[in-house]
Amino acid sequence: MTDLTRDHIGLSDTYASRRYFRKFEGIMQHMLHVAGVMEAEGKLSGDEVEILTRYAVKLTHTFKALGLKYLLAGRETGRFFGSLTMDVHDSGFPVAEELMTMANDAQQAAGHLGTMADAETIKDQMVRTILGDRKVPTKLQFSLSQRLYYEELVKGDLFWVQNDPQAQWTGNITEGRRTFRLHWATYDSQVNLPVIYMMELEDSGDIGLPKDQRRWPEVQAHLSAQALGGLKLLTIAKGFDEDFDDLHPKRLRRFHLGPMYSHSYTRQAGPLREVLAEAKAPAGQDWALVWTEEELVSDRVIEEKSGWFSTVEREVFALDPFAAQGPDLGATRQERSIILPQRVFQVLDEKRPAGFAAVRKFVVSPSGRVLQY
């Protein structure tokens, strides 16, 4: 078995850690602009953009919380606290264990806050230490950073390792047949990347799915258990279709956010690393984010016998036999995109490495505007 921890390092330098979190804060903002561009193209609907935006905001809040937790990384704080562990080979993101630890901290955040001095009191103590003792109040700075970290956890709206399915009603086909859009997300622990799912389905049950106290918990548990990056969309959709006779999945999509490449922080191999090295971009512009969208759609419906006297609908999903990986892709289509600063894009455009011709490119100008090339 491969030892994944060999691909993980701790960001123990204070300023490198802070630059890392600022980098991700900016990237998440650019992702929102990309979603707007895709909506203008008709690639995403307004509701879909809202869903992706919601998860991007959750990720932003998560990075903000982790940034506060490790604000004093590499400084002498009077206790061993460690540093953020990131995946330098597969993803460029924090490892999943960081989010697991944060979830545990969130359960106890209120208790910690109840025993800590408030932020204003700590700041007053810091001023007295600077003026009276003429010392850098590192331990008090650490106390304040932890206070702010727990406050951020109490606010909630964070991206967790497992983000349970939510349902949106999208209309009625007939009186007894409704349509819903489900969405959920995970932080894939195998590759340390956030993954977002969307499913459009028809519901022929007696009670609307989110209000059905029998089916809805089962659906949530089923989809959460199947939210594994190693499973093909076809496997997920067929399993769902067979387990719920009155729920009919018509479209399933999966968005893999990442990897993030950075010459300063990651060690991924391949053309992008060479491009970033040659670009020699300044701090804040030394990155590229790749993401992949997979889509599976139903091609037609067939009826199968169920028991002695009844039949059930089953979906037949469309697979693209001409895709790069052929029918084994397990999806109707797959599309890769990349977002990168203008300076990095210029080097990529000059080098034109193999394999990037079909990749959609979103370029961030120095003013923050996102353009597609």
Side-chain angles (χ1 to χ4, degrees):
M1 183 178 291
T2 303
D3 182 8
L4 297 177
T5 60
R6 292 184 300 177
D7 296 338
H8 305 164
I9 65 166
L11 286 179
S12 56
D13 179 82
T14 305
Y15 299 106
S17 178
R18 293 178 184 179
R19 288 196 302 270
Y20 177 80
F21 287 113
R22 284 198 300 270
K23 185 190 301 288
F24 264 107
E25 182 179 355
I27 290 174
M28 288 301 107
Q29 292 300 312
H30 299 318
M31 282 293 299
L32 300 181
H33 296 151
V34 168
V37 172
M38 295 179 72
E39 181 182 9
E41 295 176 342
K43 295 281 187 179
L44 294 171
S45 69
D47 289 341
E48 292 163 346
V49 169
E50 183 180 346
I51 291 170
L52 293 176
T53 298
R54 190 180 311 170
Y55 287 116
V57 169
K58 287 178 179 290
L59 281 167
T60 300
H61 292 166
T62 294
F63 284 117
K64 180 180 179 181
L66 288 173
L68 290 168
K69 178 180 180 178
Y70 294 113
L71 189 64
L72 274 293
R75 301 280 292 277
E76 177 52 55
T77 61
R79 56 173 286 196
F80 177 75
F81 192 67
S83 55
L84 176 86
T85 304
M86 61 171 288
D87 183 340
V88 295
H89 279 286
D90 289 326
S91 76
F93 280 68
V95 298
E97 287 78 6
E98 290 285 358
L99 275 70
M100 296 176 188
T101 301
M102 190 174 68
N104 183 65
D105 291 343
Q107 295 295 319
Q108 307 174 68
H112 284 292
L113 290 172
T115 62
M116 300 173 75
D118 61 57
E120 291 305 316
T121 299
I122 298 174
K123 290 176 182 178
D124 288 341
Q125 293 173 347
M126 289 168 60
V127 172
R128 288 198 296 270
T129 300
I130 295 170
L131 298 180
D133 300 338
R134 298 184 181 277
K135 293 181 180 179
V136 177
T138 307
K139 295 182 181 179
L140 289 170
Q141 289 175 326
F142 176 76
S143 295
L144 180 59
S145 72
Q146 300 313 292
R147 169 87 200 187
L148 297 176
Y149 167 59
Y150 288 121
E151 287 180 355
E152 198 66 29
L153 295 185
V154 168
K155 292 178 185 177
D157 199 30
L158 301 164
F159 195 101
W160 304 112
V161 171
Q162 179 177 305
N163 303 270
D164 292 339
Q166 305 293 316
Q168 294 180 340
W169 173 76
T170 53
N172 289 348
I173 298 176
T174 62
E175 184 177 344
R177 199 173 183 98
R178 313 162 193 85
T179 60
F180 292 95
R181 178 182 292 109
L182 311 186
H183 61 87
W184 64 103
T186 63
Y187 201 87
D188 191 329
S189 60
Q190 289 298 306
V191 291
N192 299 304
L193 289 177
V195 183
I196 300 168
Y197 293 80
M198 294 186 198
M199 176 187 284
E200 297 171 17
L201 59 80
E202 296 178 8
D203 176 13
S204 57
D206 295 332
I207 303 173
L209 178 60
K211 297 179 181 179
D212 192 322
Q213 298 302 311
R214 178 184 62 84
R215 292 185 303 158
W216 182 229
E218 292 180 5
V219 166
Q220 289 181 303
H222 178 99
L223 293 177
S224 294
Q226 297 295 306
L228 303 173
L231 286 181
K232 298 175 183 177
L233 291 188
L234 180 63
T235 302
I236 297 173
K238 287 187 69 174
F240 184 89
D241 189 34
E242 292 168 0
D243 283 357
F244 300 96
D245 290 345
D246 47 15
L247 296 174
H248 318 286
K250 299 298 183 179
R251 186 186 189 196
L252 176 62
R253 281 184 293 171
R254 178 164 58 189
F255 300 82
H256 303 261
L257 303 186
M260 188 278 288
Y261 293 79
S262 171
H263 187 62
S264 302
Y265 290 92
T266 63
R267 301 172 185 166
Q268 296 111 321
L272 270 181
R273 178 165 179 79
E274 298 172 9
V275 168
L276 287 164
E278 188 171 323
K280 298 178 181 178
Q285 298 183 40
D286 170 40
W287 59 271
L289 181 76
V290 177
W291 78 92
T292 305
E293 178 190 354
E294 300 171 87
E295 180 183 37
L296 178 71
V297 297
S298 175
D299 181 58
R300 64 186 187 277
V301 176
I302 61 174
E303 290 192 350
E304 290 185 355
K305 290 188 63 176
S306 178
W308 289 98
F309 305 107
S310 61
T311 60
V312 294
E313 297 179 17
R314 293 291 183 234
E315 306 296 327
V316 178
F317 296 98
L319 299 178
D320 182 3
F322 302 106
Q325 300 177 24
D328 288 340
L329 178 65
T332 307
R333 69 177 187 90
Q334 182 185 81
E335 185 174 65
R336 285 190 168 87
S337 303
I338 184 172
I339 179 171
L340 65 177
Q342 183 173 312
R343 183 163 173 173
V344 180
F345 169 72
Q346 289 172 345
V347 176
L348 179 69
D349 193 47
E350 291 171 2
K351 294 179 70 71
R352 297 185 181 276
F356 280 81
V359 175
R360 300 182 71 199
K361 303 168 187 70
F362 295 91
V363 181
V364 182
S365 72
S367 64
R369 185 182 179 189
V370 175
L371 302 173
Q372 181 186 334
Y373 288 84

